[in-house]
Amino acid sequence: MPARLLNTDPKALHQRSHMRRGLVLRVLGALAVAYALLCGYAAIFERRITFRTNPHPVTPAEFSLTEVEHQTLATADGERLVVWRRAAATGRPTILYFQGNGDTLGYRAERMRQFGAQGWGVFMLAWRGFSGSTGEPTEANAVADARLAYATLRAEGIEAGDIVIYGESLGTNIATVVALTQEARALILEAPFTSMVDAWRQFAPFLPVGLMMRDRFDTLDVIGGLRRPLLVIHGERDRMVGHHLGRRLFEAAPAPKRHVGLPEAGHTDLYAHGAIDAVRRFLDDVAAGTVQ
């Protein structure tokens, strides 16, 4: 190459090197600002992301649930919680049902029908901010509201041994916390996770979620204290709460317990893939004392 095309002037080389360093620093600075903004957004809107509330009021009649009643519970702090419920047939248990973090109670109408076909009673609670329930949800008030729901059943004369505590997704942590301190026939966890921190890490492994999150829903930390039969049921194609999280939680739980993986099910369609059969067999075996 002709010498005149090569600029070996030390001053020019230094200027080019300085420009490159400046560009790199500006890019890194912009990335740092963007990362800080993303962390701030996640921290500020954590509860909106976790709960994904849907306040739209719904009634059982809209979903042709003719044997289901629409009721409300008054909380100690002045909120009103929507409840869908149906009475149990003679000798059948009542499902105390804690929903996940998506959509309204109407989204769960089909499983309400399937529970009713078994003769099971159902007491399905809508969290604050869902289905017409008032207030804003947090981990603490969700647990308090769940305990109120349990206390309501007991005050109505339903025996503890006739109550099956059931948690769906987000509700699995709350169901577990209630089952740790209240008597019940059994605990059923549908698509459970170890903790909300672990659940968030599936989608945002680059965020310091362990430092950011206020509502941690740490089921793994408490499951070892469970003293009643447990069923964990999970879709093996679940892309919202990885099947491995439910399996890890199950392994940490004491016996008696049972794990059912549904190979074709995802996160929300377990009752289209045989979940009702797994729940029925489990409750029959609990009654017979044959759950290991």
Side-chain angles (χ1 to χ4, degrees), residues 4 19 26 28 37 43 53 57 68 81 130 134 140 163 170 173 186 192 205 242 266 272-273 277 291:
R4 67 177 180 275
M19 291 174 62
R26 286 194 295 274
L28 291 176
L37 290 173
T53 56
V68 176
L81 308 176
F130 289 86
T134 63
I163 296 174
L170 175 73
N173 170 268
H273 293 282
D277 297 326
V291 180

Side-chain angles (χ1 to χ4, degrees), residues 201-275:
R201 280 176 177 154
Q202 295 177 111
F203 302 99
F206 47 85
L207 290 180
V209 292
L211 301 175
M212 293 164 37
M213 298 191 71
R214 292 167 291 174
D215 294 336
R216 305 176 73 86
F217 296 97
D218 194 345
T219 315
L220 185 64
D221 192 49
V222 300
I223 194 72
L226 187 66
R227 295 295 179 267
R228 51 203 94 268
L230 168 68
L231 171 65
V232 171
I233 183 167
H234 215 131
E236 294 181 6
R237 295 187 177 183
D238 194 330
R239 298 294 179 265
M240 287 295 297
V241 176
H243 184 252
H244 67 285
L245 294 182
R247 189 76 202 191
R248 183 180 170 202
L249 185 70
F250 173 78
E251 290 170 354
K257 59 184 179 178
R258 177 177 298 172
H259 183 279
V260 175
L262 300 176
E264 300 302 317
H267 187 65
T268 61
D269 60 349
L270 281 75
Y271 280 82
H273 293 282

Side-chain angles (χ1 to χ4, degrees), residues 58-254:
V58 290
T59 65
E62 295 175 52
F63 299 89
S64 301
L65 295 172
T66 57
E67 297 181 1
V68 176
E69 297 181 11
H70 181 283
Q71 298 181 357
T72 59
L73 287 182
T75 69
D77 59 346
E79 304 297 347
R80 298 192 69 81
L81 308 176
V82 169
V83 174
W84 284 11
R85 63 181 307 183
R86 60 166 292 144
T90 302
R92 305 297 276 170
T94 293
I95 308 293
L96 177 56
Y97 189 102
F98 301 127
Q99 69 167 93
N101 67 343
D103 222 297
T104 67
L105 294 187
Y107 190 75
R108 292 142 183 103
E110 179 55 34
R111 61 186 62 193
M112 176 75 87
R113 266 187 282 272
Q114 294 191 36
F115 292 161
Q118 305 299 319
W120 303 332
V122 184
F123 190 103
M124 186 178 286
L125 178 68
W127 303 127
R128 302 181 188 208
F130 289 86
S131 302
S133 292
T134 63
E136 295 293 328
T138 67
E139 179 179 5
N141 64 37
V143 170
D145 295 345
R147 287 178 170 149
L148 172 63
Y150 178 91
T152 299
L153 286 179
R154 297 289 287 115
E156 292 177 351
I158 297 178
E159 297 295 331
D162 290 329
I163 296 174
V164 175
I165 301 174
Y166 190 115
E168 168 209 331
S169 192
L170 175 73
T172 59
N173 170 268
I174 300 156
T176 302
V177 171
V178 173
L180 288 171
T181 58
Q182 306 297 333
E183 292 296 323
R185 179 177 297 194
L187 172 65
I188 300 175
L189 303 180
E190 175 190 332
F193 50 86
T194 47
S195 71
M196 190 57 69
V197 171
D198 290 340
W200 271 52
R201 280 176 177 154
Q202 295 177 111
F203 302 99
F206 47 85
L207 290 180
V209 292
L211 301 175
M212 293 164 37
M213 298 191 71
R214 292 167 291 174
D215 294 336
R216 305 176 73 86
F217 296 97
D218 194 345
T219 315
L220 185 64
D221 192 49
V222 300
I223 194 72
L226 187 66
R227 295 295 179 267
R228 51 203 94 268
L230 168 68
L231 171 65
V232 171
I233 183 167
H234 215 131
E236 294 181 6
R237 295 187 177 183
D238 194 330
R239 298 294 179 265
M240 287 295 297
V241 176
H243 184 252
H244 67 285
L245 294 182
R247 189 76 202 191
R248 183 180 170 202
L249 185 70
F250 173 78
E251 290 170 354

Side-chain angles (χ1 to χ4, degrees), residues 20-78:
R20 284 194 295 268
R21 286 198 299 271
L23 177 61
V24 170
L25 289 174
R26 286 194 295 274
V27 170
L28 291 176
L31 290 174
V33 170
Y35 183 74
L37 290 173
L38 181 60
C39 289
Y41 176 88
I44 292 170
F45 295 102
E46 170 204 337
R47 283 175 173 153
R48 291 190 184 182
I49 297 169
T50 293
F51 285 96
R52 295 187 295 159
T53 56
N54 185 338
H56 178 67
V58 290
T59 65
E62 295 175 52
F63 299 89
S64 301
L65 295 172
T66 57
E67 297 181 1
V68 176
E69 297 181 11
H70 181 283
Q71 298 181 357
T72 59
L73 287 182
T75 69
D77 59 346

